[in-house]
Amino acid sequence: MQTSIMLAQILGPYCIIAAIGLFFGHEMMKKAYQEFFKSPALLYLAAAMALLLGLFIIGSHNIWVQNWTVLITLAGWMAVIKGTLLMVFPDAMLKMAKAWKLENKIRIRGVIVGIVGVLFTYYAYFA
């Protein structure tokens, strides 16, 4: 449980800050998405970072239980999957991102990331 709390203390505030940036910096983030997908170097760097972060999380917290801590494990596995897919199938992932028009859904992603951040922060510091 100590590892769960430590990871929630890191991921919670990070998600809240990222959500605020996604929600209020909508136009800048939209431009960043458009430029990001034009750069193979940035795409590879993002894939490597997501993969490393995910592997770190599941390496230290691959816990499948029926409480809030499973969200940390799920976040780790989602990062591993995202990083792997971006690294192995970058062209397919770019086509999928364009088809889903991800740059137009930035505020929705901000709300979802914010909710996860509030949950992690609550359980890390107040529960």
Side-chain angles (χ1 to χ4, degrees):
M1 186 63 123
Q2 201 62 7
T3 303
S4 300
I5 291 171
M6 181 202 61
L7 288 170
Q9 287 174 334
I10 295 166
L11 293 172
Y14 169 79
C15 287
I16 290 171
I17 293 166
I20 292 168
L22 288 169
F23 197 77
F24 291 108
H26 178 328
E27 287 304 315
M28 192 276 301
M29 289 304 296
K30 187 174 181 178
K31 290 176 187 173
Y33 269 97
Q34 291 165 351
E35 289 300 314
F36 174 79
F37 289 121
K38 293 178 186 176
S39 173
L42 282 177
L43 193 62
Y44 186 81
L45 181 62
M49 289 177 57
L51 183 57
L52 284 171
L53 175 64
L55 289 171
F56 172 77
I57 291 172
I58 62 172
S60 62
H61 193 282
N62 195 22
I63 301 170
W64 296 94
V65 293
Q66 291 183 345
N67 62 31
W68 70 273
T69 60
V70 76
L71 295 175
I72 295 171
T73 301
L74 289 172
W77 278 105
M78 288 189 313
V80 166
I81 291 167
K82 179 181 179 178
T84 300
L85 290 175
L86 278 172
M87 200 173 274
V88 177
F89 306 109
D91 293 332
M93 295 299 288
L94 287 175
K95 286 179 187 175
M96 187 171 62
K98 288 178 184 175
W100 287 355
K101 296 184 171 53
L102 289 179
E103 69 270 6
N104 293 332
K105 296 178 175 73
I106 293 170
R107 285 193 175 129
I108 294 169
R109 293 175 71 180
V111 170
I112 294 167
V113 170
I115 291 169
V116 170
V118 168
L119 283 172
F120 283 162
T121 301
Y122 171 78
Y123 284 113
Y125 294 103
F126 304 110

